[in-house]
Amino acid sequence: MNLPIHIKGIIFDLDGTLVESSLDFSLIRQQIGCPEDIDLLIYVEKLSCKVAQSKANQIILEHEYQDAMNAKPIKGMTEIIEAISHANIPTAIVTRNSLAASKMKVKQNNIAIDHVLTREDYPAKPAPDALLAIAAQWQIHPQHIIYVGDYLYDIQAANNAGMIACFINHGIESDYQYLADIVIEELSQLQPLFTKNTQHN
């Protein structure tokens, strides 16, 4: 992992990156009538009927809440967050999940990251707004921040924000992973990055 620049901050996705997720998006789409080729959140946002929109949001929230109750930590999650903390690198989470579900997942899995932004705070990924807000708060240039996620939207959000895009594929190659700057199979592979940062400090 030879990066030409010094990493000064790291932002994580939540579902599929720090914790396991078993959300059945096909079922959710079926229940709210969302076509496969349309982003779920955009579909709900553009519903003209407020009653239908409210019902769709409630269905999504119920699925997310149930998923949060059963979420388990991804392999190596605790160890890598401890390594980052020891390297004195600021961390945050940016997720398309709801605030309630995100809080539950963070609490139940003892994730030692306090700064969590959800779709209720800023436009959902792949929009870069949440990532850029964190960069501004940290007063760190986006090119010195790495964003780690497990889906296309995560890579796109990092690219849109001018950050380093790190894709975790859990050992299963994706046809869009070439869009990322770094591809890892598990969180432990980030360790050399923080060891290097500690040596530079």
Side-chain angles (χ1 to χ4, degrees):
M1 195 182 301
N2 297 316
L3 293 178
I5 56 178
H6 187 49
I7 301 302
K8 299 180 180 178
I10 181 165
I11 306 173
F12 289 99
D13 170 46
L14 183 58
D15 292 352
T17 301
L18 295 179
V19 298
E20 296 174 354
S21 175
S22 57
L23 279 172
D24 188 339
F25 288 103
S26 294
L27 178 58
I28 297 173
R29 287 177 181 277
Q30 180 183 336
Q31 290 179 343
I32 69 175
C34 177
E36 285 290 335
D37 60 343
I38 299 178
D39 179 272
L40 195 63
L41 298 181
I42 291 177
Y43 173 80
V44 175
E45 183 183 340
K46 291 187 175 180
L47 285 173
S48 56
C49 175
K50 295 302 178 185
V51 175
Q53 188 179 61
S54 177
K55 184 178 179 180
N57 274 318
Q58 189 58 40
I59 288 172
I60 294 173
L61 287 171
E62 287 173 2
H63 278 275
E64 289 178 336
Y65 190 79
Q66 288 298 319
D67 185 56
M69 291 177 67
N70 301 312
K72 305 298 181 189
I74 293 284
K75 177 185 176 184
M77 181 269 287
T78 301
E79 292 80 2
I80 200 64
I81 291 177
E82 286 179 356
I84 298 167
S85 177
H86 290 153
N88 294 316
I89 298 171
T91 55
I93 292 172
V94 170
T95 175
R96 283 168 59 97
N97 219 319
S98 65
L99 178 61
S102 299
K103 279 187 172 181
M104 179 178 289
K105 288 181 176 180
V106 168
K107 183 178 180 180
Q108 285 193 167
N109 292 281
N110 297 313
I111 302 175
I113 297 177
D114 297 325
H115 198 173
V116 181
L117 295 183
T118 71
R119 65 171 182 265
E120 293 158 48
D121 297 301
Y122 290 94
K125 299 173 293 186
D129 303 52
L131 301 183
L132 291 173
I134 292 171
Q137 183 175 342
W138 287 346
Q139 296 185 323
I140 297 174
H141 194 283
Q143 72 174 16
H144 292 287
I145 299 173
I146 185 171
Y147 182 58
V148 184
D150 71 317
Y151 187 61
L152 175 62
Y153 289 159
D154 301 313
I155 299 174
Q156 292 174 331
N159 290 339
N160 291 339
M163 295 183 179
I164 300 167
C166 177
F167 179 69
I168 179 168
N169 66 13
H170 303 292
I172 302 173
E173 290 197 6
S174 168
D175 58 2
Y176 53 74
Q177 68 181 40
Y178 72 93
L179 296 170
D181 299 299
I182 303 169
V183 178
I184 59 175
E185 294 186 356
E186 56 182 56
L187 290 171
S188 63
Q189 289 177 282
L190 290 172
Q191 182 79 40
L193 180 65
F194 307 122
T195 304
K196 188 180 298 184
N197 271 268
T198 304
Q199 292 170 346
H200 286 176
N201 287 340

